[in-house]
Structures are given as structure tokens and as C-alpha cells.
Amino acid sequence: MTTHTQETSVQESERAWLEQAIRLAAGSVADGGGPFGALVAKDGEVVAIGNNQVTATLDPVAHAEVSAMRAACKALDTFSLEGCVLITSCEPCPMCLSAALWARVDRVVYAADRHDAAVAGFDDRKFYDLFEKKPASMWPMSVHRLDLPNRTAPFDAWLAKSDRIDY
């Protein structure tokens, strides 16, 4: 049973971590990166931090949240971030939110939202709108499935593998 004191302590920790994520984002801007910062915490401790490195590394998926989750997985020696909280300076874009789901993060806490990001010129809101409101036929890129007879061969091999690590 969670007590009011425990909830207050969690909220205070998350506020402090959120302030840290915002400082990471501002520091990223000062260092020539994008205005996003994130951290992963577990059991009341910060496990890893990350900032946006898209332009620095020429990697379109090097968002702050992805960078922090990658570092956390290495630090914890696991691909699962169960029991962790992702704290980020801005609402995660759909890619980062999906990555957090894949990582099995327990909670996501953010400060600025997609509308704040749009004011600064970032596409987060457009992508949310795309996934929520537009059929695939109206997307800016085409997505097509080709039905090949061997399309399930990798999954068949996976299911036949007795020593696979399920995730």
C-alpha cells in the first residue's frame, strides 16, 4: 500500500529529475544539439541520462529518450527497463513513446508537450496527427506490403529456436 508520504517523495524526486532533464536539454542547445534531455531512474536513483544527438551523430533516431534508454540498458545490463521511469524534458514523439513501450518502462513523465515543440519548429504534433487522424494513403511516404510465400520464414525459425530469449 502506497502512503501519502511515499507519493509525495516520488513526486518530489520526479520534479527534481524533470528539472535535471530540462537542464540537460538546455545544455544540449548550448553544445549545438537539439533542445531535448531525458533520464532513466530506477529505485529512486538516476541510472542514465541522454540528450538529443540527431545532428551531432547524423542519426535521426538519436533522440534524448532513445539515448537515455540505450544508456540505461547498458548500465543495467538488460534490454528491459521494467521498474524504471523515463523522465524527459518534452512529451516523447511517437517513435520515443514506442521505444519506451518496447523497453517496458513503467512510467513516462515529461514537462513540455507536443504543442510547445511545434512552436519551436519540431514535427512531433504532425506525427501524432498523422498516426491518429490520417489513413496510410495520405501519409507523406508510401507504405506497401508485398505478399511473398516465404514471408514467415524468419518467424518460423524463431519459433523453432529452443534457446531464444523472448521479449
Side-chain angles (χ1 to χ4, degrees):
M1 176 179 213
T2 304
T3 66
H4 178 68
T5 304
Q6 288 171 318
E7 287 178 17
T8 301
S9 177
V10 167
Q11 289 173 348
E12 289 173 4
S13 294
E14 289 179 354
R15 287 182 82 78
W17 293 332
L18 198 49
E19 290 288 344
Q20 183 178 354
I22 291 168
R23 286 192 304 273
L24 285 166
S28 180
V29 171
D31 292 338
F36 303 95
L39 61 86
V40 174
K42 184 173 185 175
D43 299 328
E45 300 292 327
V46 173
V47 175
I49 62 171
N51 66 296
N52 182 281
Q53 298 184 14
V54 170
T55 57
T57 61
L58 305 177
D59 180 353
V61 298
H63 290 200
E65 297 89 343
V66 171
S67 298
M69 288 187 286
R70 284 177 175 159
C73 287
K74 285 183 182 178
L76 296 171
D77 195 30
T78 182
F79 59 84
S80 174
L81 295 178
E82 282 186 62
C84 294
V85 60
L86 173 63
I87 308 285
T88 181
S89 63
C90 185
E91 179 180 15
C93 71
M95 177 191 71
C96 292
L97 188 57
S98 296
L101 287 166
W102 274 110
R104 310 298 195 259
V105 168
D106 284 5
R107 287 173 35 85
V108 175
V109 179
Y110 63 90
D113 65 15
R114 65 185 83 169
H115 308 291
D116 298 317
V119 170
F122 291 90
D123 290 341
D124 303 46
R125 187 172 63 193
K126 287 182 186 176
F127 294 142
Y128 270 103
D129 289 347
L130 179 72
F131 291 126
E132 293 171 355
K133 299 176 184 170
K134 293 190 178 188
S137 63
M138 295 181 68
W139 288 13
M141 67 177 183
S142 65
V143 179
H144 294 280
R145 176 179 182 241
L146 294 178
D147 188 11
L148 298 180
N150 64 342
R151 72 184 182 277
T152 63
F155 297 121
D156 296 340
W158 173 256
L159 291 171
K161 186 174 173 57
S162 62
D163 62 342
R164 71 180 179 264
I165 300 172
D166 290 328
Y167 61 97

